[in-house]
């Protein structure tokens, strides 16, 4: 099958590559761009481990072809740290609130939470749970992920973070 | 789980898309959000030689008013439906149902056109469209035609779409102001199809049901319009006996498959309960 | 000056030692997408392998035609059983003493069994290739129901075993029988039942499920023909065991095998065993001379590698009228699928199921387990549990509720009445275990007080009355669970894997600047070992945890260990760390004595260094001792500061806990809502409370999933119908309840730091709590036992069967 030339912006940098039309975006990111933070967990669009941000949308990159991302602006987990290399509010929140264990779902979870907070800067617990319902975590039981996102929201909003009482 | 090879086409107009599809014939499939088709391709249950991606066609996007109808472009995503104030206000049942479709990521990509056109009995929008009296615009090499949602579904994955045709828009009559509505969906978890679901749009007058329309999701090989059930509630105040009658009338037309969601008997029973609950909630909302 | 001198509290806090909620070291890389998982490993010239799998559950393989596959661009080879026979690898030994086909040899015995391995230049070509391999099958009658496996006319599944009347664990009664395992005093138990005032009997099933970590099983095998060395990167919970197994079955010298387990995306028991993918990738690499990657997809994971549970437990309790238990009798029918590939210690064909007497003082008990073959996937792994302990806990906790119901007693009261008393520890159970420590009454009462148990029972009584009056369609259940686990396999006297005793190990090497590295035989899959192991060392030797790097998973550098599963890391490796640290500390004491010019006995350890007793200003910090270890050790002493410990535990540890689930069920739809879940865990000494809480949350979530719907289900002709995350219940944040955690601390008396292990407790205790809640909800309508999983339709069916739904 003839290959197609694609160009897109990933984490602020223009990238290009030759892909088959059937090349899944997640494989383009992981194999061609060698950014392996985006993971594959279920392959049937349920787990969200492959979530990246495309043109302001959270997208499961295992269910989109690389050719469809032509010209788009993509952010992956590798683009989430602060410019000075320190952890961003969400990354810090996940660490401080123990929002991860094996770390496999974490990049997708953070990418989804990133868009959620852009759209809803002060979500309730229920809104967070609904907002991350396209991402499966096998380790944490989600409770600390919710706290991690609340922590990040507070930090981004410049307010003090208070853990909800048990 | 890797899709088979295919050629990729990205037309910029409906005319180009239609021409491609008719030229390429059965080997070509239109690609909308892809969240039904791409997993099927990864399982190699679908192996199209050509994909015609509709994302490049600007005219297929957007929500607009056309007289007393809301016209929604086929490539409008569930996320965009949810973001529309017009829909939230004039067609709130659409908003309510869109929130129950899949998960946030899928809603950013999943389109209303894909949801109604692919004929999957598990999809939520088709029953809703039937309930709302929507019409689909189908465009093919021979021109455009309008088909009522109620006439569109012929079997699981079989629809009125002719080879080479694409569904370009849905047109929904805006329900009367003060109407009551509810979409009751029982599912095992986020991302699941309905075990059974019921859509109700009704109007009340003097404490009695004046008009009513009921649609059913995933309890038959096609979405269903429960006309007898709807008739049974007209003129009533939805007393217990009426609700029971309506549920029974709805159950009578259900023919779900037994699957991991439960045996046939359960899925029908739950279907009846979804009808009951949707009627009650819709009536409570009606002004 | 004095203001700047740190206080003892400050010095202690600076160590971030045991008891501290230390933030995880691992998270710095994981939150930035910089973890290094197996699929991230890319080697020059690397090829990809993928399996052709059987659509049939039972069939003869007539012919495999690879000619079209070999024409696919990028496909290099198709490996079949015939290929593997040339290197004597068509079959492989299992950890349970059975053998398993690597690729179908004449027959397939379960749906999705591995039939051929296609090797190609990339994963796309490999997938194209598997779709072009044509396999001709002759279907055979499938055997799906384990209760029919030993019928006289049951089909013969394992033709390789025909005529073999003895298996790895004794005599075989039937061609589909694997083993019978019995424990306890049959005569005494039968006698107890004869004279019992009250008995109960129930067949309690624990359905087949799957650990399904988010990262599937995968490996990269790279054979260097010149050096004759095989390097394997893989998702291995037990890398050293994999190295030994590969050496034994591939006949490669063990020093020429390098096994590397990089970051692992969850294990939960799925990544303990050896799978055909590993063997095929290794053979493919040897054949092609290139690295070969194998990555399982989710369907393959759910349907082919390692189910869990599938135990059918006929359970009887004998008791007095006033509720004192006098005997326990259990028979288990264990469905092992096509091959017995249980990942248990070798001498334990049913794992530690004989912990089934639970937390109760049974004077006598008898247990018999029959393992049988069916046309289902092999496995039998400990899904977040210590070798069949989850099954045992479910069995006894359900049975105690059934007994309480029969006696018309409150289930909590019945438990309190029968608990092993604190003064009975160490306690010898009727089925042969020595429980190390426990205070069950305190834990249970704390649970009851904190949750307002009595008030909840009152509310339940009111709701039941309202239900009977027709005022509500919702019923309320209280699920009490009090579990005792057995973890930390294990003492060499009774635990080995393929003859290797189940010790674990730690090597600590302190560097001159007061930093160090600890290398371990364990392998974290999310447990946070890099964080917690350093905390133990910090407290033991007074060096800040931040200065200790923990390394696991590389068999070339790590001391031999048996790996991480069955909650064994803290009980075994955690002890090895403390023991190695204490060796470091002992040598450090000698160095300090020499430098401070006193006798060692005149020194006392004080947080982060040694102090001369009675002379508080004479102090040498551990940091300074590290430096001294490299330049001025006492005459006759070797320089350097390092130690190794191989720890053979004297006993298992026995964590326990008291859980309560409060659930409401809508009888018309079967939809349930977990209103409240309280989990009190006692895991002895707590190393990092933050990580313990996280482990409990995760284990409870898995327990919730299992009890309420997570099932590997086969239809009546052997098709697996739950092969994706659509139908295999994997709860999201929306379905998952809120968790309340609590604890008591009863240290293990034999463990160097008193710790017991916690990762699996919430799964072991959680499942019975959920199931008991459902059963308790329906009990007033006449239910005694409703089988799991308790998904919506089954709850509705229960209500219907009980006449609560028209």
């Amino acid at each position: 099958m003839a290959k197609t030339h694609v160009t897109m912006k990933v984490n602020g940098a223009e990238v290009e590559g030759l892909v088959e039309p059937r090349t899944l975006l997640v494989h383009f990111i992981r194999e061609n761009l060698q950014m392996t933070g985006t993971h594959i967990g279920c392959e049937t669009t349920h787990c969200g481990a492959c979530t990246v941000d495309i043109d302001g949308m959270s997208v499961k990159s295992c269910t989109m072809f690389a050719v469809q991302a032509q010209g788009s602006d993509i952010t992956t987990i590798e683009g989430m740290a602060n410019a000075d290399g320190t952890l961003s509010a969400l990354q810090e929140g996940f660490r401080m609130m123990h929002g991860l264990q094996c770390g496999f779902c974490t990049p997708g979870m953070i990418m989804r939470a990133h868009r959620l907070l852009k759209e809803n800067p002060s979500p309730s617990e229920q809104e967070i749970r609904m907002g991350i319902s396209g991402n499966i975590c096998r380790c944490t039981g989600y409770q600390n992920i919710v706290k991690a996102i609340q922590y990040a929201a507070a930090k981004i909003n410049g307010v003090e973070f208070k853990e909800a009482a048990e | 789980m890797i899709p088979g090879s295919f050629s990729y086409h990205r037309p910029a107009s409906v005319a180009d898309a239609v021409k491609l599809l008719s030229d390429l014939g059965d080997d070509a499939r239109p690609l909308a959000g892809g969240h039904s088709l791409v997993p099927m391709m990864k399982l190699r249950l679908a192996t199209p030689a050509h994909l015609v991606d509709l994302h490049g066609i600007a005219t297929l996007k957007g929500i607009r008013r056309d007289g007393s109808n809301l016209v929604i472009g086929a490539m409008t995503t569930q996320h965009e439906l949810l973001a529309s104030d017009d829909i939230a206000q004039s067609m709130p049942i659409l908003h309510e149902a869109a929130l129950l479709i899949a998960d946030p990521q899928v809603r950013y990509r999943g389109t209303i056109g894909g949801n109604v056109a692919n004929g999957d009995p598990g999809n939520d929008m088709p029953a809703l469209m039937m309930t709302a009296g929507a019409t689909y615009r189908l465009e093919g090499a021979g021109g455009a035609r309008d088909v009522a949602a109620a006439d569109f579904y012929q079997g699981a994955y079989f629809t009125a779409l002719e080879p080479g045709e694409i569904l370009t828009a849905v047109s929904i009559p805006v329900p009367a102001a003060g109407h009551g509505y509810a979409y009751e969906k029982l599912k095992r978890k986020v991302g699941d199809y309905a075990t059974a679901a019921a859509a109700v749009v009704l109007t009340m007058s003097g404490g009695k049901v004046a008009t009513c329309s009921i649609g059913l999701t995933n309890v038959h090989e096609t979405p269903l319009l429960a006309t007898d059930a709807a008739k049974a509630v007209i003129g009533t105040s939805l007393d217990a006996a009426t609700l029971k009658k309506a549920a029974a009338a709805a159950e009578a037309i259900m023919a779900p498959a037994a699957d991991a969601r439960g045996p046939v008997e359960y899925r029908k029973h739950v279907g009846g309960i979804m009808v009951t609950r949707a009627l009650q909630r819709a009536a409570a909302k009606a002004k | 000056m004095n203001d700047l001198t740190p206080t003892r509290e400050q010095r202690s806090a600076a160590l971030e030692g045991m008891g501290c909620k230390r933030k995880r070291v691992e998270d710095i890389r994981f939150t930035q997408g910089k973890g290094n998982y197996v699929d991230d490993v890319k080697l020059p010239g690397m090829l990809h392998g993928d399996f052709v799998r059987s659509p049939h559950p039972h069939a003869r393989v007539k012919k495999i035609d690879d000619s079209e596959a070999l024409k696919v661009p990028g496909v290099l080879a198709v490996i079949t059983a015939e290929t593997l026979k040339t290197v004597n690898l068509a079959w492989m030994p299992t950890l349970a003493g059975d053998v398993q086909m690597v690729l179908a040899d004449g027959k397939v015995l379960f749906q999705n069994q591995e039939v051929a391995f296609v090797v190609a230049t990339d994963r796309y070509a490999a997938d194209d290739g598997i779709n072009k391999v044509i396999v001709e099958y002759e279907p055979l009658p499938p055997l799906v129901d384990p209760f029919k496996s030993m019928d006289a006319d049951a089909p013969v599944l394992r033709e390789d075993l025909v005529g073999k009347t003895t298996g790895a664990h004794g005599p075989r009664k039937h061609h589909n029988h694997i083993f019978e395992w019995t424990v306890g005093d049959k005569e005494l138990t039968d006698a107890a039942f004869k004279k019992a005032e009250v008995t109960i009997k129930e067949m309690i099933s624990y359905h087949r499920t799957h650990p399904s970590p988010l990262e599937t099983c995968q490996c990269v095998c790279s054979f260097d023909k010149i050096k004759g060395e095989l390097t394997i990167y893989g998702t291995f919970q037990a890398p050293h065991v994999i190295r030994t197994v590969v050496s034994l079955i591939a006949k490669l010298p063990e020093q020429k095998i390098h096994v590397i387990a990089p970051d692992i995306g969850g294990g939960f028991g799925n990544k303990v065993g050896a799978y055909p993918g590993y063997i095929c990738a290794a053979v493919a690499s040897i054949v092609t001379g290139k690295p070969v990657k194998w990555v399982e997809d989710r369907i393959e994971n759910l349907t082919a590698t390692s189910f869990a549970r599938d135990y059918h437990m006929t359970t009887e309790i004998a008791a007095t009228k006033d509720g004192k238990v006098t005997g326990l009798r259990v028979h288990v029918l264990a469905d092992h699928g096509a091959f017995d590939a249980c990942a248990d210690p070798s001498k334990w064909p049913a794992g530690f199921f004989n912990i089934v007497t639970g937390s109760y003082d049974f004077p006598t008990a008898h247990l018999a387990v029959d393992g049988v073959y069916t046309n289902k996937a092999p496995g039998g792994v400990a899904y977040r549990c210590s070798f069949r302990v989850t099954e045992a806990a479910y069995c006894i906790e359900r049975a105690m509720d059934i007994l309480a119901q029969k006696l018309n007693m409150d289930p909590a009261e019945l438990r309190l009445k029968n608990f092993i008393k604190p003064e009975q520890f160490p306690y010898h159970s009727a089925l042969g275990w020595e429980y190390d420590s426990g205070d069950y009454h305190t834990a249970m009462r704390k649970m009851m007080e904190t949750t307002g148990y009595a008030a909840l029972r009152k509310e339940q009584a009111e709701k039941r009355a309202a239900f009977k009056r027709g005022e509500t369609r919702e019923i309320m259940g209280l699920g009490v669970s009090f579990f005792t686990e057995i973890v930390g396999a294990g003492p060499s006297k009774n635990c080995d894997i393929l003859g290797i005793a189940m010790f674990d190990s730690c090597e600590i090497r302190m560097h001159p600047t007061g930093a160090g590295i600890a290398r371990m035989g364990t392998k974290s899959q999310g447990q946070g070992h890099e964080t917690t192991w350093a905390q133990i060392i910090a407290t033991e030797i007074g060096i800040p945890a931040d200065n200790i790097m923990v390394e696991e998973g590389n068999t070339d550098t790590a001391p031999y260990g048996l790996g991480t599963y069955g909650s064994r890391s803290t009980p075994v490796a955690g002890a090895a760390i403390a023991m190695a640290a204490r060796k470091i500390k002992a040598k450090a004491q000698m160095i300090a004595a020499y430098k401070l010019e006193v006798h060692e006995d005149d020194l006392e350890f004080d947080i982060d260094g040694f102090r001369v007793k009675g002379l508080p200003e004479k102090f040498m910090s551990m940091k300074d001792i590290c430096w001294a270890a490299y330049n001025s050790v006492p005459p006759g002493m070797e320089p350097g500061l390092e130690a190794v410990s191989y720890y053979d535990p004297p006993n298992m540890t026995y964590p326990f806990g008291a859980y309560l689930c409060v659930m409401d069920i809508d009888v018309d739809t079967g939809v349930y809502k977990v209103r409240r879940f309280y989990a009190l865990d006692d895991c002895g000494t707590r190393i990092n409370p933050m990580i313990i809480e996280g482990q409990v949350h995760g284990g409870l979530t898995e327990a919730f999933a299992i009890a309420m719907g997570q099932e590997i289900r086969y239809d009546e002709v052997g098709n697996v119908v739950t092969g994706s995350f659509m139908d295999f219940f994997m709860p999201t944040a929306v379905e998952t309840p809120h968790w309340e955690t609590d604890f008591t601390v009863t240290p293990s008396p034999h463990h160097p730091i008193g710790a017991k292990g916690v990762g699996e407790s919430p799964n072991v205790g959680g499942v019975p709590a959920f199931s008991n809640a459902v059963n308790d909800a329906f009990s007033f309508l006449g239910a005694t036992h409703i089988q799991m999983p308790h998904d919506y339709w089954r709850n509705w069916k229960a209500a219907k069967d009980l006449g609560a739904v028209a």
Side-chain angles (χ1 to χ4, degrees), chain C residues 355 357-358 420 425-427 429 433-437 440 484 651 654:
Chain C
I355 193 74
T357 52
I420 299 160
F425 291 93
Y427 172 81
S429 79
W433 294 114
E434 184 190 310
Y435 294 25
D436 59 348
S437 65
Y440 299 164
T484 293
N651 191 5
Y654 297 76

Side-chain angles (χ1 to χ4, degrees), chain B residues 59-81:
Chain B
T59 55
L60 289 178
K61 279 237 176 209
I63 302 160
R64 64 186 172 83
R65 286 279 186 150
D66 180 10
S68 59
N69 288 344
L70 261 177
V71 178
I72 306 174
M75 291 297 285
T76 307
T77 64
Q78 314 292 354
H79 184 77
E80 288 160 344
L81 292 182

Side-chain angles (χ1 to χ4, degrees), chain A residues 22-24 27 30-31 36-37 39 41-43 46-47 77-78 81 87 91 94-96 98 100-105 110 129-130 132-133 136 138-144 166, chain C residues 23-24 27 30-33 37 39-40 42 123-124 128 211-212 214-215 264-266 268 297-298 383 525-526 690 694-695 697-698 701-702 725 730-734 736 738-739:
Chain A
R22 64 170 170 166
T23 302
L24 296 163
H27 286 139
R30 288 181 51 82
E31 310 288 336
T36 55
H39 295 150
C42 75
E43 295 161 287
H46 288 99
C47 82
I77 188 66
E78 286 88 350
L87 296 185
Q91 292 168 318
F94 272 72
R95 179 161 192 250
M96 295 304 286
H98 191 30
L100 67 153
Q101 291 180 27
C102 82
F104 201 76
C105 77
I110 289 177
R129 285 182 179 265
M130 289 296 285
I132 60 169
S133 62
I136 287 171
R138 292 287 288 139
C139 298
T140 65
Y142 304 104
Q143 200 154 312
N144 288 342
E166 284 290 307
Chain C
K23 304 301 174 226
R24 299 200 329 163
D27 297 356
F30 290 157
T31 56
Q32 300 188 75
Y37 301 89
D39 201 12
D40 304 341
K42 290 183 179 64
R123 64 185 90 207
Y124 283 63
D128 290 343
S212 203
L214 201 52
E215 176 201 41
I264 297 184
F268 316 120
D297 70 31
R298 178 58 56 189
Y383 172 7
Q525 313 118 43
M690 175 190 85
Q695 290 281 310
H697 287 176
T701 304
E702 291 184 344
F725 281 173
M730 196 59 87
T732 73
V734 170
T736 301
H738 181 83
W739 310 116

Side-chain angles (χ1 to χ4, degrees), chain C residues 117-139:
Chain C
F117 190 69
V118 173
V119 185
T121 47
D122 63 56
R123 64 185 90 207
Y124 283 63
D127 202 305
D128 290 343
I130 62 173
N131 283 284
K132 292 289 183 186
V133 175
I134 299 159
V135 185
E136 201 180 304
Y137 298 97
E138 175 193 320

Side-chain angles (χ1 to χ4, degrees), chain C residues 707-773:
Chain C
M708 306 314 288
Q710 192 178 77
E711 181 187 19
I712 294 291
R713 197 154 64 89
Y714 288 80
D715 67 15
E716 63 281 4
V717 290
N719 299 303
V720 57
V721 296
T722 48
S724 80
F725 281 173
M726 171 73 88
D727 286 321
F728 184 74
F729 180 51
M730 196 59 87
T732 73
V734 170
E735 294 80 40
T736 301
H738 181 83
W739 310 116
E740 295 171 55
T741 58
D742 203 345
F743 62 96
T744 56
V745 178
T746 312
S748 169
H750 63 78
H751 188 277
I753 59 171
K756 288 187 169 186
V758 75
E760 294 160 342
S761 298
N763 201 331
V764 171
V767 170
F770 288 108
S771 184
N772 281 346

Side-chain angles (χ1 to χ4, degrees), chain C residues 253-322:
Chain C
E254 199 166 357
Q255 83 279 10
K256 294 199 170 189
I257 304 168
H258 315 287
V259 175
I260 298 163
D263 288 324
I264 297 184
F268 316 120
N270 199 173
K271 295 169 179 173
V272 174
Y275 300 118
Y278 306 156
I279 306 291
C280 289
V283 170
S285 180
I286 290 168
V287 169
T288 61
K290 295 198 167 157
V292 176
K293 180 182 275 189
W294 171 67
V295 175
E296 185 182 55
D297 70 31
R298 178 58 56 189
I299 294 173
E300 297 177 299
N301 177 252
L302 286 171
T303 60
T305 46
S306 281
F307 76 92
R309 325 296 194 234
D310 219 343
Y311 260 33
H312 308 279
M313 309 172 288
T314 303
T315 311
E316 298 169 87
I317 295 178
T320 64
K321 275 188 297 205
D322 60 352

Side-chain angles (χ1 to χ4, degrees), chain B:
Chain B
M1 288 175 65
I2 306 288
S5 293
F6 59 84
S7 297
Y8 177 75
H9 309 269
R10 194 181 168 96
S13 71
V14 171
D16 287 351
V18 162
K19 181 165 187 335
L20 270 168
L21 286 168
S22 81
D23 290 352
L24 297 168
D26 286 349
D27 287 344
R29 290 280 297 268
L31 175 67
H35 280 60
S36 299
L37 182 57
V38 177
M40 296 290 273
M41 289 173 66
K42 287 163 87 173
L43 292 164
R44 304 222 180 188
L45 294 171
T47 52
H50 299 272
L51 277 190
V52 178
D53 188 349
L54 306 180
H55 281 93
I57 307 173
T59 55
L60 289 178
K61 279 237 176 209
I63 302 160
R64 64 186 172 83
R65 286 279 186 150
D66 180 10
S68 59
N69 288 344
L70 261 177
V71 178
I72 306 174
M75 291 297 285
T76 307
T77 64
Q78 314 292 354
H79 184 77
E80 288 160 344
L81 292 182
L82 287 168
S84 158
D85 289 338
D86 196 2
I87 284 175
Q89 269 155 41
S90 57
M91 260 313 297
I93 192 170
L94 208 52
H95 185 92
E96 181 174 305
L99 258 183
L100 297 172
I101 292 173
D103 62 49
Q105 286 96 316
V106 176
R107 294 195 289 267
Y108 282 110
R109 294 286 293 171
T111 64
I112 187 154
N115 197 289
V116 300
N118 91 334
D120 186 336
N123 286 352
D124 293 287
M125 286 294 174
L128 210 69
M129 292 300 133
M130 288 165 73
T131 307
T135 310
Y136 301 155
R137 165 135 295 211
L138 313 182
E139 296 189 41
R145 60 189 180 119
D146 293 319
V147 174
D151 298 329
F152 184 75
Y153 300 98
Q154 299 169 346
Y157 302 101
F158 281 96
T159 67
L161 270 175
E162 294 293 337
E165 271 186 329
I166 57 174
L167 188 151
T168 54
V170 301
S171 175
I172 316 168
V174 174
H179 75 280
Y181 65 91
Y183 188 61
E184 284 284 337
K185 177 179 181 181
L186 189 131
K187 56 181 177 176
R188 296 169 299 179
K189 55 167 283 191
V190 170
D192 192 17
Y193 292 120
T195 301
V200 167
V201 175
L202 52 68
T203 54
M204 301 290 284
S205 172
K208 296 212 173 356
V209 179
T211 65
C212 179
S213 176
I214 303 173
L216 305 171
T217 297
N218 214 20
V219 287
H220 193 272
E221 61 169 0
T222 61
L224 296 173
L225 211 46
T227 40
D228 288 347
K231 260 184 219 150
V233 302
I234 304 283
T236 75
S237 55
L238 292 176
D239 54 287
T242 302
L243 287 172
K244 211 168 167 181
K245 224 163 93 184
E251 284 180 48
I253 59 168
M254 297 179 196
D259 62 13
R261 293 170 190 85
V264 171
E265 190 190 5
Y266 172 70
R267 296 188 61 190
K268 286 175 70 168
H269 172 81
V270 164
I273 289 176
M274 294 300 106
V275 168
T276 309
R277 292 183 182 174
L279 282 167
Q280 286 173 311
R281 199 154 60 80
K285 275 192 193 152
K287 291 184 184 102

